[in-house]
Amino acid sequence: MLGVFSGEMVEAPPELVAAGSRTPSPKTRASELVNRFQRNYEPAVCLQIGSFAHLAYSHANQSPFCPRSFATKDDIFCIFEGVLDNLGHLRQHYGLSKGANEVMLIIEAYKTLRDRAPHPANFMLGQLDGNFSFVIFDKATSTLFVSSDQNGKVPLYWGITADGCIAFCNDVDLLKGSCGKSLAPFPQGCFYSNNLGGLKSYEKPKNKVTAVLASDEELCGATFQVEENAVAMDTY
């Protein structure tokens, strides 16, 4: 799966900017990243949403234990990869039918988070039991919401393209070709939202998330970690 978002809408994390500046390497524009995804994962579906976002997904080479799904409702677009072990319970919690799958559940959970503010993101995400990562784009509010499970079982990476877009993808090699060293694994047990204060830990919501710059030999330029003792000033 791939999500690419304009730098006009989403501010680039300074740690990824620093990682790319410290060890410059070739990058490509976001449009070339999207084109490469389509070539590498044919057949693939690619959506351009306004001038701010691209979402692309494919079922090519997916694991039966980690399927990918896509859905859109009320101008909310979501790509989900993985499985929720407590899907049945969550369907009842959010008043969904028995036919609702994981991606439909995530959209409904996000809508609840958005419409019942200050409903905390860590409460909503902490209810999700399973292996997953997902990318949500809310066109109505120009909100990006991305998260990964607490065990990091479904790989997700993020980086900055040559033209300053923020990209999320499950294929690190594909992202490396467009982001160079401005690239990092998305930290487990965390979420990122441009409207909820950036990168936060939902597993340990009082703790800060910081980045450690990697050595030149490593594929990614930085690694984000949840600090054990440093407490964040704001929680969401």
Side-chain angles (χ1 to χ4, degrees), residues 38-226:
Q38 291 179 293
R39 292 194 301 267
N40 289 6
Y41 289 96
E42 189 177 2
V45 176
C46 180
L47 302 175
Q48 180 173 348
I49 308 167
S51 59
F52 297 112
H54 282 86
L55 293 177
Y57 67 98
S58 172
H59 296 296
N61 302 322
Q62 78 174 10
S63 166
F65 304 104
C66 194
R68 305 180 195 111
S69 52
F70 169 83
T72 178
K73 180 181 180 182
D74 299 332
D75 275 341
I76 300 170
F77 301 80
C78 180
I79 304 175
F80 181 94
E81 182 170 5
V83 174
L84 294 178
D85 297 330
N86 61 338
L87 178 60
H89 169 74
L90 292 174
R91 285 185 187 127
Q92 294 180 343
H93 178 78
Y94 287 103
L96 298 176
S97 69
K98 293 182 179 180
N101 62 4
E102 279 88 351
V103 70
M104 295 169 65
L105 183 283
I106 292 298
I107 288 178
E108 194 63 35
Y110 166 77
K111 286 180 62 180
T112 300
L113 171 66
R114 181 195 65 184
D115 298 341
R116 296 183 184 177
H119 189 69
N122 57 286
F123 176 78
M124 168 256 188
L125 293 167
Q127 292 180 311
L128 307 179
D129 182 13
N131 302 327
F132 64 86
S133 62
F134 65 80
V135 176
I136 285 178
F137 178 64
D138 183 347
K139 183 180 178 182
T141 60
S142 295
T143 297
L144 171 65
F145 190 70
V146 180
S147 187
S148 179
D149 69 67
Q150 298 180 25
N151 298 313
K153 295 294 186 179
V154 181
L156 184 65
Y157 303 87
W158 59 334
I160 307 171
T161 65
D163 48 348
C165 293
I166 310 302
F168 298 83
C169 189
N170 58 346
D171 184 339
V172 65
D173 293 322
L174 184 72
L175 215 55
K176 171 68 177 177
S178 288
C179 301
K181 284 289 185 177
S182 294
L183 175 65
F186 193 83
Q188 61 193 52
C190 292
F191 72 91
Y192 177 86
S193 174
N194 59 326
N195 284 342
L196 293 176
L199 182 64
K200 303 285 183 180
S201 169
Y202 69 83
E203 184 180 17
K204 299 177 180 179
K206 295 184 178 181
N207 292 39
K208 294 180 180 179
V209 183
T210 58
V212 177
L213 294 179
S215 65
D216 293 346
E217 293 76 21
E218 295 183 66
L219 179 63
C220 296
T223 301
F224 288 87
Q225 300 176 343
V226 180

Side-chain angles (χ1 to χ4, degrees), residues 19-41:
S21 301
R22 186 173 67 101
T23 309
S25 55
K27 296 183 178 183
T28 68
R29 297 176 64 85
S31 57
E32 175 56 24
L33 173 59
V34 174
N35 290 337
R36 287 176 55 229
F37 181 91
Q38 291 179 293
R39 292 194 301 267
N40 289 6
Y41 289 96

